[in-house]
Amino acid sequence: MELKPNFSAAELKKQYIPEEFFELKARIHARLLDLIDLSKIESIDQGTLKYQIRSLVEEIYRDEPNRIPLNFAERERFFREVEDEVLGLGPLEPFMQDPSISDVLVNTYNQIYVERHGKLSKTEGRFKDNDHLMKIIDKIVSSVGRHVDESTPMVDARLPDGSRVNAIIPPLAIEGPILSIRRFATTPLEIEDLILLQTLPAEMVQFLSGIVRSKINVMISGGTGSGKTTFLNVLSRFIPEAERIITIEDAAELQLKQNHLVRLETRPPNIEGRGEVTQRELVKNSLRMRPDRIILGEVRGAEALDMLQAMNTGHEGSLTTIHANSARDALLRLETMVAMANLEIPSLFLRRYISSAIEIIIHIERLTDGTRKVVSLQEVTGMEGNVITMQEIFSFQKRTVDAEGKVKGQFKFLGIRPKCMDRLRAVGVELPDNTFEPKSVLEV
């Protein structure tokens, strides 16, 4: 089912707005801040607050000597934007209220792009100038106890709804401040949604449920924006309610629904460069917290070694994601990350260690038409010489691209029966005998 935005596409393509509009809005916003007590905003009912702000803005507008004439639609937009400046994120607020937008990308003050349904498009939204954009960035990062200035020109932060924010400002950003917001879905996708979106076929669900319930170690690979975290969220739904789960993330994105859940998040260094807590330290600490499952939001560096140790020493059923272009590339990247721990482990022993820990690799891609698909599910079968061996159980085979740019292809099992089937049967998962026969299970 397609999500409906809160405002029409026509509103994103507004006619040219004169510079006087932005200057008037800035003057009224400044006067409004002089008249209201910001410390009391949190204690006032939202509806009452909006009404009072609207009344004040109308009064200030009437008294403004250099006001410009506005028709009804322009006045409504004007009042809404001033309200957004006080209560929200200014020009970004309409995009943050649209559930169909997954990314908001600001390239200096006069370029705002959004991603909707996997496609990027430029909007007509803009800030007054780079100083206006800097005020919004400061508002975002200060709300989570962070700061950004010339001495600390890069910052990662998180909005109250969980959305990830990255800002980089001059002198590192040459033309002006750059802001990137990865939206956090208020209603996380479920397995039924992924089937509906044709990310995977329904025939895979029972097998995926089985590998999670039987505590098989799973690594999800894919590129940026391919949907790894979303898929990890979906897989987590199959974890039994009775198990104790510990999640470890750089920026908290996972939305698990189990009750016995402990969420851990890294901490960056403070302004003096102290106090940093890395993922590796959190992985080590989690082993002392009696976890049934450890879920590492994304493996990025030396914590890969500690994750593999946990998988090999009684913490089966761990789940993680990794940036990679294929399942084979995921293993190569994992080997490189373990080497970052500087333990000088010979590559042969390192690969044996990886092959005994990682059992299933699920690779996801965002295709050229913006859709996300599970393109490969591979089982790690061991070693041959100094090479980790895998067998592909399931794949998406791309065939063509139609006149509208849609990728056409088919999901299919490849006729290979997984070695882990005995473990699935041990937890009561019985798949039909013909499940893995080489056949097309869904044409898209």
Side-chain angles (χ1 to χ4, degrees):
M1 183 175 68
E2 186 177 345
L3 293 170
K4 299 293 185 183
N6 289 340
F7 54 95
S8 67
E11 285 187 82
L12 287 178
K13 298 182 178 180
K14 300 180 180 72
Q15 60 186 355
Y16 173 74
I17 300 168
E19 196 66 32
E20 291 84 355
F21 181 92
F22 297 99
E23 292 174 357
L24 175 63
K25 189 173 70 172
R27 289 198 303 272
I28 289 183
H29 180 222
R31 289 188 60 191
L32 182 64
L33 294 181
D34 290 336
L35 295 174
I36 61 176
D37 186 349
L38 294 176
S39 64
K40 294 182 179 179
I41 281 182
E42 295 293 331
S43 61
I44 302 175
D45 173 72
Q46 195 76 0
T48 304
L49 183 61
K50 287 184 177 182
Y51 175 78
Q52 291 178 350
I53 288 176
R54 171 81 179 227
S55 300
L56 277 172
V57 172
E58 289 180 340
E59 183 180 330
I60 296 170
Y61 175 75
R62 284 194 302 268
D63 295 339
E64 171 62 42
N66 298 318
R67 68 175 182 267
I68 58 177
L70 301 172
N71 61 33
F72 178 78
E74 291 170 338
R75 283 170 64 91
E76 287 300 308
R77 177 187 173 182
F78 182 83
F79 293 136
R80 186 183 71 242
E81 290 189 4
V82 174
E83 180 185 295
D84 288 342
E85 293 288 344
V86 178
L87 301 178
L89 300 180
L92 302 181
E93 195 62 26
F95 310 122
M96 300 303 294
Q97 299 301 322
D98 183 349
S100 69
I101 290 176
S102 56
D103 286 274
V104 180
L105 309 172
V106 183
N107 301 341
T108 69
Y109 75 96
N110 59 355
Q111 289 186 347
I112 300 178
Y113 288 82
V114 298
E115 180 185 289
R116 183 185 281 112
H117 308 307
K119 290 290 188 179
L120 272 177
S121 60
K122 186 179 179 181
T123 74
E124 294 302 315
R126 54 160 287 184
F127 293 81
K128 179 179 180 293
D129 50 33
N130 282 330
D131 288 338
H132 183 199
L133 174 54
M134 273 303 304
K135 288 178 183 176
I136 296 298
I137 292 174
D138 283 330
K139 187 174 184 178
I140 292 171
V141 301
S142 62
S143 66
V144 290
R146 308 288 302 280
H147 75 283
V148 58
D149 54 29
E150 286 191 5
S151 62
T152 313
M154 291 189 298
V155 67
D156 279 308
R158 187 156 42 89
L159 294 174
D161 68 354
S163 297
R164 266 192 339 197
V165 178
N166 177 271
I168 181 167
I169 68 171
L172 300 186
I174 297 171
E175 296 179 352
I178 308 296
L179 180 67
S180 307
I181 301 177
R182 172 66 58 86
R183 294 290 308 286
F184 193 76
T186 53
T187 305
L189 295 178
E190 302 293 345
I191 192 72
E192 295 80 11
D193 300 307
L194 297 189
I195 294 170
L196 196 63
L197 294 168
Q198 297 185 330
T199 300
L200 76 166
E203 289 81 355
M204 273 193 72
V205 173
Q206 194 175 2
F207 180 60
L208 291 174
S209 171
I211 62 177
V212 175
R213 287 170 54 196
S214 58
K215 304 193 79 169
I216 289 172
N217 295 322
V218 178
M219 184 164 67
I220 302 165
S221 65
T224 301
S226 59
K228 300 185 298 297
T229 302
T230 297
F231 199 79
L232 181 54
N233 270 326
V234 169
L235 283 189
S236 73
R237 304 289 187 264
F238 300 126
I239 299 175
E241 186 65 40
E243 295 188 16
R244 175 175 169 85
I245 306 167
I246 296 178
T247 66
I248 299 166
E249 302 174 81
D250 257 344
E253 291 182 287
L254 294 173
Q255 295 171 287
L256 276 66
K257 292 188 174 180
Q258 286 81 354
N259 289 323
H260 202 165
L261 173 66
V262 177
R263 304 177 70 204
L264 305 178
E265 186 178 35
T266 61
R267 186 176 70 184
N270 60 21
I271 193 169
E272 290 86 19
R274 301 174 183 173
E276 181 181 17
V277 179
T278 65
Q279 281 200 132
R280 187 173 191 189
E281 292 172 291
L282 292 179
V283 172
K284 288 179 180 178
N285 189 76
S286 70
L287 300 178
R288 306 183 186 103
M289 299 172 68
R290 199 257 173 229
D292 288 311
R293 306 256 184 172
I294 297 174
I295 298 180
L296 190 58
E298 182 181 334
V299 59
R300 299 171 184 266
E303 70 273 3
L305 176 63
D306 302 283
M307 179 193 72
L308 293 175
Q309 287 178 325
M311 290 177 173
N312 275 314
T313 55
H315 296 92
E316 297 91 353
S318 296
L319 304 171
T320 189
T321 72
I322 188 170
H323 270 80
N325 295 321
S326 65
R328 175 62 62 183
D329 183 46
L331 292 176
L332 294 174
R333 292 208 66 215
L334 190 61
E335 184 179 342
T336 303
M337 291 174 186
V338 175
M340 292 167 66
N342 295 322
L343 295 183
E344 298 183 2
I345 304 172
S347 61
L348 177 60
F349 292 107
L350 191 53
R351 289 170 191 165
R352 289 188 184 279
Y353 204 54
I354 292 172
S355 67
S356 64
I358 304 295
E359 298 169 90
I360 294 287
I361 300 176
I362 301 171
H363 186 68
I364 302 176
E365 284 185 12
R366 181 170 67 171
L367 305 183
T368 53
D369 60 358
T371 59
R372 278 91 167 171
K373 300 225 183 303
V374 174
V375 297
S376 180
L377 188 151
Q378 302 202 32
E379 182 181 37
V380 178
T381 55
M383 295 279 295
E384 282 189 9
N386 65 348
V387 177
I388 299 174
T389 57
M390 295 187 291
Q391 57 183 12
E392 191 167 31
I393 310 298
F394 173 88
S395 74
F396 173 75
Q397 298 178 355
K398 291 173 277 191
R399 296 205 178 279
T400 185
V401 178
D402 67 16
E404 297 178 351
K406 295 288 185 182
V407 175
K408 299 295 183 182
Q410 62 179 2
F411 291 104
K412 67 183 302 180
F413 287 102
L414 302 177
I416 297 174
R417 191 171 181 82
K419 294 172 64 177
C420 61
M421 286 306 297
D422 289 341
R423 291 176 63 179
L424 269 66
R425 280 193 292 270
V427 296
V429 177
E430 292 287 348
L431 299 179
D433 292 335
N434 64 349
T435 296
F436 303 102
E437 288 183 3
K439 59 186 178 181
S440 171
V441 296
L442 182 64
E443 293 275 353
V444 297

